[in-house]
Amino acid sequence: MRKNIKRLIALALATTMALSLVGCGGGGETSTTTGGSESAEASTGEGGYKDTLIWAQGADVTSMDPHQGKETPAVEVTDQIFDTLTVVNPATNELEPQIAESWEQTDDLTYVFKIRQGIKFHDGSDLTAEDVKFSLDRAINSASVSYIVDFIDNVEVNDDYTVTVTTKFPYAPALRNLSVPFAAIVPKAIVEADEEGFKTNPVGCGPYKFVEWKQGDSVTLEAFDDYFGGKPATKNLIMKVIPEAAQRTIALETGEVDLAYTLASNDVDKIRENPDLQLFEGPSMACEYISMNMNKAPFDDVRVREAINLAIDRQLIVDTILNGAGTVADSIIAPDVFGYSSPGAYEYNPERAKELLAEAGYPDGFSTSLWTSDSQTRIEVCQAITAMLMEVGIECNVEVMEFGRFIEQTSNGDHDMAIFGWTTSSKDADYTFYSLEHSSQQGAPGNRTFINDPEVDALIEEARQTTDEQVRLDTYKELQVLLKEINNNAPIYYSDVVVGANAKVEGFVPDPIEYHKLDQVKVAN
Amino acid sequence: MYKYIIKRLLMMIPVLLGVTFIVFFILNMSPGDPAAMILGDRASAEALAMKREELGLNDPLLVRYFNYVVDMLHGDLGTSYKNSLSVWEQVTERFPNTAILALCGICVALIIGIPTGIISAKKQYSLMDNCTMVVALIGVSMPAFWLGLLLVIVFSLNLGWLPSQGMGDGGMELVKSLILPSITLGTMSAATITRMTRSSMLEVIRQDYISTARAKGVSEKTVTIKHMLRNALIPIVTAVGLQFGSLLGGAMLTETVFSWPGLGRLMVDSIKSKDIPLVLGSVVFMAVMFSVVNLIVDIVYAYIDPRIKSQYKKK
């Protein structure tokens, strides 16, 4: 009887498989390609390399318009299509020319850019100074990305290949801000002729041309042979949207994709141990930190804030929750950001924390809450911190909120403590310190500890207005020491950029902001 | 009959108004400013004001709802907050993907559900029946993401037969990419259909006309299919219709697990980013689809049961 049932079940399963094959068939043209793996079947390109590179990312492009889609999944694609005036080399972190061949700062407020001649947009038209002016003005007027270029007062076209950019005030990080992909240069004629069309059919001057966007599924790009930086290494790029992190790893293992971005931390070891795969790890420009609301008691007391900083065992969080894919933070900017200087590591000292709490008048601790948006890693980090705070007598409640509500309520200053992640996209300290620590930026613009300290403000302003790099570095050093004394934020860790790849992938350099450039990447057969 | 269909189609208008009203107000009154959501954690007051103006969020809620309904009646579902693309285009681009998956899913469900239901009913309380019911119970309770991942691990990772995710481009590739998601979707619906088939078969199995048919010497096959199944079909068709309707609305979990670019995932993504026009557009579309499927089910009743047909005629 048992045998019969087994047979029946086996038969049922086999029939289902067969029938679903038959039932779902029909329609559509027949294809000669077999197997599900496009990567495995991709036709060969030049010199023993595949002509198609497929990468998987967790979310679809929000907008193909670089002055609108500023989310990482959007930039990961648009960054292949568009270029900027300047660029920061991901390996050396040095500023390099891109569309601008050279520049000159004639006074504190004026930059004159010489535009490289012979750059072509994907439609064959020449890139001129008019396009640069049009693009920067367009970015300034876009609510989504204006913050990156709003230091610009005026853009003036001197001749076909020279542009003068005047800033509103002396602004040292100007050139690094212009390297952020949201300051992309777009073709004036095309955008003006059909702005709606441009959003679904983008035209840039980057290494890859746009071919197709199947929303929610994939984006196909093709190498732009006339790219001024040289012909890209791989002919075709395909971005696949795979929302589940576990599925991205599986797709990598089955060979369906060559690269997989943002992996789950528990998959990292699996990839590391697989001889057919390789793991690219690198430091990111992102810091996860807890903001303590200085407008609310007891966080208005520096001793309480210091006690919280002392009560957190950062190394334990990195080792367990992140599985080692991160580094303990000592400042809210990552070590690779221009202006970083370690103010000394945060000590883990629960005994001292208890003493400080007692001095502040809380010998038995107090009750508070820690807010987080609904990101799994952040929730786990918060739970760990809650347990750590409990050890020094602080009873802390984790409140998980949907992102919109989280942003709105923390902007209003309704929180006690909240966890945030911040990426220094311009790779310059000003980007972070001005937003998170300057008193003029309280609430929605970024300062959610509501710090209002004239000394901090003065240092931030001094560093952003001085062009002397050494003076800037010294000022930021002083600022970071001061902030560590104020303890308004508790930096927890710098996350690593982790990209899984097929072992045959060559030439990939992980970008610390995850805007990976793929024009030099190729996959061996 | 036609009168009835037209009446039913007209009845969709208040349904749609009700659906849009509820969804519009829930989304707009839930905390979280869409402008802040789009601009992220670095948004100056000017940028927020600029974005709100751009999205038309400064008008009173009722005015916005009124404008939305007027536009909707003109066939304009608005543009997405997130990428300023037409909602109608995005929804209709995704719908065929969902439809093909739903169709295959329901095929799998019918192929498994109806025969097993019939066998279970005819052999009530046998070992076979008990086993089937246990399997059906597991099927109903099994989360789609778990079953989906399990199938992927076995058939894609270990055996390498089928793609683990995505939607293939036409022909064999499409068929291959459909198998695992269809089985995942179908198994859950199959369990419901099996249970429904069994119980409605059991209701007719002991009716006098079945004994009469057998006494007349009608073959068991004819008795089962013509006399039992046909009379038991009404609740089954209802269940299948409901299942199909909800599958058409996008099987969010299955679509997410298999990276299937369907309507369900579009809706999840737009809810996450509080893209109100896109959520509303998807919901309106789903509501229409659901109503249409229900209408089709009602029409099918008439062909299954002549008594119902005569009632329609009276209407």
Side-chain angles (χ1 to χ4, degrees):
Chain A
M1 189 67 190
R2 212 178 266 167
K3 241 184 192 173
N4 280 341
I5 290 170
K6 264 191 188 167
R7 264 186 210 159
L8 261 173
I9 292 172
L11 190 73
L13 280 174
T15 322
T16 317
M17 284 278 297
L19 285 175
S20 47
L21 254 173
V22 177
C24 307
E29 71 273 47
T30 47
S31 162
T32 47
T33 318
T34 52
S37 153
E38 281 179 63
S39 157
E41 313 299 332
S43 56
T44 50
E46 296 161 29
Y49 290 98
K50 285 183 184 167
D51 71 350
T52 304
L53 170 86
I54 304 176
W55 88 89
Q57 60 183 47
D60 197 8
V61 175
T62 45
S63 172
M64 284 287 179
D65 183 341
H67 299 146
Q68 195 171 31
K70 63 169 184 168
E71 297 77 9
T72 306
V75 181
E76 279 165 344
V77 173
T78 54
D79 204 22
Q80 320 298 332
I81 305 171
F82 297 95
D83 272 352
T84 41
L85 283 177
T86 58
V87 67
V88 175
N89 186 318
T92 61
N93 204 18
E94 292 291 320
L95 195 71
E96 291 173 5
Q98 196 167 47
I99 289 174
E101 192 174 24
S102 62
W103 54 82
E104 190 189 351
Q105 189 172 5
T106 51
D107 61 53
D108 276 357
L109 301 178
T110 316
Y111 295 81
V112 179
F113 290 94
K114 199 96 199 125
I115 307 300
R116 205 182 288 270
Q117 295 198 18
I119 295 181
K120 292 211 177 298
F121 283 114
H122 301 154
D123 68 333
S125 61
D126 287 323
L127 187 152
T128 65
E130 279 295 339
D131 297 304
V132 174
K133 176 180 165 50
F134 173 78
S135 304
L136 294 180
D137 286 344
R138 189 168 184 264
I140 294 167
N141 289 317
S142 154
S144 304
V145 303
S146 68
Y147 66 91
I148 206 80
V149 280
D150 61 3
F151 63 90
I152 297 176
D153 183 41
N154 183 36
V155 184
E156 208 179 306
V157 174
N158 303 357
D159 59 49
D160 272 359
Y161 295 99
T162 321
V163 180
T164 302
V165 172
T166 319
T167 62
K168 290 177 184 160
F169 38 79
Y171 188 65
L175 293 170
R176 281 184 183 255
N177 274 31
L178 290 175
S179 75
V180 176
F182 332 140
I185 305 303
V186 299
K188 182 183 177 191
I190 290 180
V191 178
E192 277 185 341
D194 181 9
E195 190 151 13
E196 288 309 306
F198 175 73
K199 288 173 184 168
T200 45
N201 204 354
V203 175
C205 66
Y208 283 92
K209 288 188 286 190
F210 172 83
V211 176
E212 191 187 19
W213 179 17
K214 286 190 198 158
Q215 289 190 26
D217 182 53
S218 62
V219 174
T220 309
L221 307 174
E222 190 193 341
F224 178 46
D225 292 338
D226 292 335
Y227 181 54
F228 68 91
K231 205 174 150 189
T234 303
K235 191 165 184 292
N236 305 298
L237 292 185
I238 297 174
M239 181 280 283
K240 285 204 156 207
V241 185
I242 306 185
E244 283 292 300
Q247 283 283 58
R248 285 197 290 281
T249 307
I250 291 177
L252 197 61
E253 290 176 293
T254 56
E256 285 164 272
V257 302
D258 303 303
L259 287 167
Y261 297 170
T262 23
L263 300 166
S265 49
N266 50 357
D267 282 340
V268 168
D269 283 338
K270 200 155 79 176
I271 293 177
R272 210 177 267 140
E273 287 157 15
N274 188 332
D276 296 331
L277 303 178
Q278 56 180 326
L279 196 69
F280 291 98
E281 284 174 288
S284 76
M285 296 278 175
C287 177
E288 294 280 321
Y289 61 95
I290 288 175
S291 282
M292 292 172 254
N293 187 346
M294 291 172 73
N295 282 347
K296 275 187 161 184
F299 301 101
D300 51 354
D301 189 325
V302 65
R303 290 167 295 189
V304 172
R305 299 196 300 265
E306 191 183 348
I308 287 177
N309 259 314
L310 288 168
I312 301 171
D313 186 351
R314 294 167 169 80
Q315 192 61 52
L316 188 68
I317 293 175
V318 170
D319 292 344
T320 52
I321 299 170
L322 300 188
N323 224 353
T327 323
V328 167
D330 50 13
S331 170
I332 49 168
I333 54 169
D336 284 343
V337 175
F338 176 85
Y340 168 84
S341 157
S342 172
Y346 281 94
E347 192 191 349
Y348 170 57
N349 190 343
E351 291 312 314
R352 177 73 190 129
K354 278 185 205 162
E355 282 169 31
L356 281 169
L357 285 175
E359 278 172 33
Y362 300 97
D364 302 320
F366 56 88
S367 292
T368 184
S369 62
L370 174 56
W371 291 5
T372 172
S373 57
D374 47 4
S375 131
Q376 190 51 36
T377 314
R378 281 191 196 150
I379 295 171
E380 286 173 24
V381 170
C382 286
Q383 284 162 346
I385 289 175
T386 306
M388 291 167 189
L389 293 181
M390 187 77 91
E391 280 180 32
V392 298
I394 299 172
E395 198 181 308
C396 181
N397 229 349
V398 176
E399 267 183 55
V400 183
M401 294 178 188
E402 162 265 331
F403 185 68
R405 187 172 156 225
F406 176 76
I407 286 295
E408 186 172 298
Q409 298 208 352
T410 50
S411 297
N412 294 341
D414 296 337
H415 59 293
D416 287 347
M417 293 191 285
I419 188 164
F420 297 93
W422 189 272
T423 304
T424 311
S425 305
S426 71
K427 304 176 186 173
D428 187 288
D430 177 70
Y431 184 94
T432 300
F433 286 132
Y434 187 71
S435 295
L436 301 189
E437 310 285 5
H438 197 275
S439 60
S440 67
Q441 303 295 302
Q442 288 183 352
N447 175 355
R448 289 180 174 87
T449 60
F450 294 87
I451 182 175
N452 185 353
D453 187 310
E455 207 182 331
V456 171
D457 285 358
L459 286 171
I460 294 171
E461 282 160 24
E462 189 189 333
R464 74 178 345 210
Q465 293 180 6
T466 319
T467 39
D468 185 324
E469 289 205 346
Q470 196 49 50
V471 175
R472 293 191 74 208
L473 288 173
D474 293 342
T475 315
Y476 282 130
K477 187 174 178 184
E478 201 182 325
L479 176 65
Q480 283 165 86
V481 172
L482 179 62
L483 287 172
K484 198 177 172 223
E485 284 164 13
I486 296 173
N487 281 294
N488 58 329
N489 284 309
I492 309 293
Y493 64 87
Y494 307 120
S495 50
D496 277 354
V497 175
V498 185
V499 175
N502 193 299
K504 292 173 181 164
V505 168
E506 294 171 18
F508 181 79
V509 180
D511 183 86
I513 318 175
E514 300 188 60
Y515 302 159
H516 312 294
K517 280 271 187 189
L518 298 172
D519 55 323
Q520 296 307 318
V521 184
K522 45 191 179 176
V523 191
N525 278 317
Chain B
M1 188 77 180
Y2 293 112
K3 247 188 187 170
Y4 174 75
I5 294 175
I6 291 168
K7 208 166 128 193
R8 283 288 301 269
L9 286 174
L10 286 175
M11 269 167 66
M12 272 163 66
I13 296 172
V15 169
L16 286 182
L17 283 178
V19 167
T20 49
F21 185 83
I22 294 170
V23 177
F24 189 89
F25 281 90
I26 288 179
L27 283 173
N28 277 292
M29 287 159 86
S30 62
D33 174 6
M37 191 93 186
I38 293 166
L39 299 183
D41 45 12
R42 181 173 176 162
S44 66
E46 301 84 55
L48 277 173
M50 210 151 111
K51 198 79 203 178
R52 278 197 201 109
E53 187 61 42
E54 197 183 307
L55 303 177
L57 294 173
N58 291 328
D59 296 334
L61 207 54
L62 274 172
V63 173
R64 277 160 54 203
Y65 179 67
F66 181 74
N67 289 341
Y68 182 80
V69 171
V70 171
D71 286 346
M72 188 178 80
L73 293 175
H74 287 93
D76 177 10
L77 291 176
T79 53
S80 146
Y81 280 172
K82 199 86 186 173
N83 54 24
S84 331
L85 298 178
S86 150
V87 168
W88 173 253
E89 274 173 27
Q90 292 188 64
V91 169
T92 46
E93 191 181 321
R94 298 288 190 99
F95 179 69
N97 305 343
T98 293
I100 189 167
L101 180 59
L103 211 64
C104 294
I106 210 76
C107 284
V108 172
L110 289 177
I111 289 162
I112 303 175
I114 294 195
T116 12
I118 295 172
I119 296 167
S120 282
K122 291 198 75 175
K123 306 205 171 192
Q124 199 188 1
Y125 302 133
S126 67
L127 184 64
M128 171 78 189
D129 178 30
N130 288 332
C131 286
T132 317
M133 282 306 105
V134 171
V135 173
L137 189 67
I138 295 171
V140 173
S141 354
M142 202 155 38
F145 57 86
W146 183 80
L147 176 65
L149 266 181
L150 209 70
L151 289 174
V152 165
I153 290 172
V154 174
F155 292 100
S156 308
L157 197 58
N158 294 342
L159 298 173
W161 292 351
L162 299 165
S164 66
Q165 46 70 41
M167 183 177 170
D169 262 341
M172 264 317 277
E173 260 186 67
L174 177 63
V175 172
K176 280 192 161 192
S177 67
L178 264 167
I179 295 175
L180 294 184
S182 308
I183 293 178
T184 310
L185 263 192
T187 310
M188 323 238 328
S189 305
T192 313
I193 292 169
T194 306
R195 292 170 69 88
M196 190 52 90
T197 310
R198 179 180 178 269
S199 63
S200 50
M201 283 286 284
L202 284 175
E203 268 175 37
V204 295
I205 215 161
R206 288 188 192 86
Q207 296 282 345
D208 290 343
Y209 59 81
I210 300 291
S211 313
T212 313
R214 283 203 180 110
K216 281 198 301 186
V218 179
S219 74
E220 190 59 27
K221 195 173 143 198
T222 319
V223 170
T224 310
I225 292 171
K226 268 198 156 172
H227 297 262
M228 287 184 202
L229 187 61
R230 190 155 180 194
N231 280 300
L233 261 184
I234 294 282
I236 301 172
V237 168
T238 313
V240 172
L242 282 176
Q243 291 286 332
F244 187 58
S246 56
L247 292 188
L248 271 185
M252 297 171 198
L253 285 174
T254 311
E255 285 183 2
T256 305
V257 170
F258 290 98
S259 318
W260 194 266
L263 208 51
R265 246 183 66 209
L266 179 71
M267 194 147 115
V268 173
D269 291 345
S270 47
I271 291 173
K272 273 194 200 159
S273 54
K274 213 164 179 203
D275 197 335
I276 296 174
L278 203 49
V279 179
L280 273 170
S282 324
V283 171
V284 167
F285 201 82
M286 285 177 190
V288 171
M289 284 304 134
F290 207 89
S291 308
V292 169
V293 170
N294 270 329
L295 179 59
I296 294 171
V297 166
D298 285 351
I299 296 168
V300 169
Y301 285 166
Y303 289 94
I304 300 169
D305 192 338
R307 288 168 298 185
I308 296 178
K309 197 172 190 175
S310 63
Q311 273 176 16
Y312 284 156
K313 275 181 186 156
K314 276 182 216 154
K315 286 177 191 172

